[in-house]
Amino acid sequence: MDKKRIMASAIVFLILAVLIYLQYREWHSFDWGTFWSETRHIKWLRVVRAVVLIYAAYVMRAIRWKIFLKPVRPNAKVMDLVSPTMIGFAGLALLGRAGEPIRPYLIANRQKLTLSSQLAVWAVERIFDVGAFTLLIGLAVFREAGLYSIPEPGWYSSLQRGVVILVALVSGVAGAAFVINRRGESVARWVERKFGHLSANLGHRIAHWIREFGAGLNTIHSPLSFLWLTLVSVGMWYVIAMAYKDVTHSYGEAALEIPQLQILILMGSSMLGSMLQLPAVGGGSQLATIRTLSGLFAVPPELAASCGILLWLVTFAAVIPLGLALAHFERLSLRKLSKESHRAESAENVGPPE
């Protein structure tokens, strides 16, 4: 691990330590006996079903990537993309952000494509993820019937403002993507001129990313392709929401009988919290989920803590056993894959000498 990653991990650790301390002070009467009692009453069949749904979502990710590959690899098979998907997300769970390039790196190698082209697909994939989730959470927040049972009505306006901001951001990104798709080369040259006086290498890197991102957008080769990508993305996030619902309802507690629409709000908090994650142990996702359960949904602290941890295990860490098994079967090392993918990415992004 290089110095930058060590520093980043240290900063994340300190922030999480402060957040945990503040949560501990707020829950000064936290009862560990109640925590373990609530955990023992879980209906594990529903948890298993949630894990199956999460695995189904990974298969849907592979299907979506196959659609992206159609212009260049029309004969790519979904099953050939499932293994890199599982191994890639296991690497992300165990290595943190250092494991992010593993999935596009494996796909690039197996489909005999450049890593930069698959990183571009990965960037476009993020747009579909955020867009699909924004659509679903917009329904959750603005559909009045979906908010009736939230114990804290004061959160309504804040949630609605947050969704409006999210919609504006997604719209801005979509607009920028449209411009890059139509005038990518012109935008890249403009960036090189504007940033070239600061650093020729910086201007080149940004322009290179714009060109590759534009190439990634070219994988959306027709309106029908866009429709399928949208449907798969929305369906995938709905399947993930069903998994969240299975976990919360597995406790058999009235406080966690959260309707499907409101589950999306819980998912949103988990996604925001995941920005502060430590490799293998998480942290931010669990804290954000627990805070939302105890604050927005007025779930007792012990029950909120148990559910938050279980949600992280099911939705984020459950892929680790299968991902490691597949990596072992294929004689792959996650750490080596991470190093190789970062090395390959750096090699493809090397700019001209200044």
Side-chain angles (χ1 to χ4, degrees):
M1 184 180 290
D2 58 34
K3 291 182 179 179
K4 288 183 179 179
R5 291 181 192 168
I6 293 173
M7 181 65 69
S9 296
I11 292 171
V12 170
F13 176 79
L14 288 174
I15 294 173
L16 289 175
V18 171
L19 292 174
I20 292 171
Y21 173 72
L22 293 175
Q23 190 71 75
Y24 175 78
R25 287 192 61 184
E26 183 177 341
W27 289 357
H28 59 277
S29 59
F30 188 90
D31 187 346
W32 283 102
T34 302
F35 171 85
W36 292 115
S37 175
E38 297 289 359
T39 303
R40 284 197 298 269
H41 293 154
I42 293 171
K43 298 173 185 175
W44 291 105
L45 185 60
R46 297 204 70 162
V47 176
V48 171
R49 188 167 68 181
V51 173
V52 172
L53 287 170
I54 290 298
Y55 275 30
Y58 288 127
V59 174
M60 294 177 78
R61 285 188 180 276
I63 292 171
R64 185 172 60 180
W65 206 292
K66 172 181 166 56
I67 299 172
F68 281 123
L69 287 176
K70 190 173 181 179
V72 291
R73 293 294 183 270
N75 297 322
K77 297 178 180 178
V78 172
M79 291 310 299
D80 293 336
L81 299 171
V82 170
S83 176
T85 300
M86 297 290 187
I87 294 172
F89 275 96
L92 178 62
L94 289 170
L95 304 177
R97 298 305 173 192
E100 279 188 334
I102 290 177
R103 180 166 55 120
Y105 176 74
L106 283 174
I107 293 173
N109 280 352
R110 294 178 184 187
Q111 299 297 326
K112 294 181 173 55
L113 296 166
T114 62
L115 174 59
S116 57
S117 71
Q118 297 312 289
L119 287 172
V121 171
W122 177 84
V124 176
E125 185 191 51
R126 297 282 73 76
I127 295 178
F128 277 92
D129 278 340
V130 176
F133 180 76
T134 299
L135 174 63
L136 291 173
I137 199 171
L139 292 174
V141 172
F142 288 102
R143 181 181 170 185
E144 188 178 4
L147 297 174
Y148 278 154
S149 59
I150 293 181
E152 294 292 337
W155 286 58
Y156 292 177
S157 58
S158 297
L159 286 169
Q160 290 176 343
R161 283 195 299 271
V163 170
V164 169
I165 293 172
L166 183 58
V167 169
L169 289 173
V170 171
S171 299
V173 171
F178 179 81
V179 172
I180 290 174
N181 182 243
R182 292 299 182 90
R183 304 292 300 275
E185 185 58 35
S186 297
V187 174
R189 288 198 298 267
W190 180 84
V191 166
E192 285 179 318
R193 287 197 303 270
K194 287 294 182 181
F195 289 90
H197 69 283
L198 297 175
S199 167
N201 195 45
L202 175 63
H204 172 80
R205 284 178 179 272
I206 298 175
H208 177 78
W209 183 89
I210 290 172
R211 292 185 178 102
E212 291 297 340
F213 182 64
L217 290 171
N218 289 335
T219 59
I220 309 172
H221 52 281
S222 69
L224 183 60
S225 172
F226 178 82
L227 177 62
W228 276 116
L229 289 167
T230 302
L231 290 175
V232 172
S233 299
V234 172
M236 181 190 72
W237 282 101
Y238 189 77
V239 166
I240 295 172
M242 290 171 61
Y244 268 74
K245 184 177 180 179
D246 266 333
V247 172
T248 57
H249 288 212
S250 70
Y251 285 82
E253 296 283 346
L256 286 174
E257 294 294 317
I258 304 171
Q260 188 75 57
L261 287 174
Q262 294 177 20
I263 287 290
L264 292 158
I265 300 170
L266 186 62
M267 290 170 59
S269 68
S270 176
M271 291 167 65
L272 287 174
S274 66
M275 296 173 67
L276 289 173
Q277 293 285 100
L278 289 173
V281 298
S285 179
Q286 298 98 305
L287 282 173
T289 304
I290 292 167
R291 179 60 185 165
T292 302
L293 286 170
S294 61
L296 179 59
F297 296 109
V299 176
E302 297 82 5
L303 187 57
S306 176
C307 186
I309 293 170
L310 184 59
L311 278 170
W312 177 79
L313 289 172
V314 169
T315 62
F316 191 72
V319 71
I320 293 175
L322 181 56
L324 288 178
L326 289 170
H328 178 74
F329 177 76
E330 298 179 23
R331 300 182 182 277
L332 298 172
S333 164
L334 294 181
R335 290 193 178 279
K336 286 183 180 179
L337 284 173
S338 176
K339 291 178 181 178
E340 289 171 4
S341 62
H342 282 281
R343 193 181 302 119
E345 183 181 3
S346 298
E348 290 189 11
N349 287 331
V350 170
E354 296 187 66

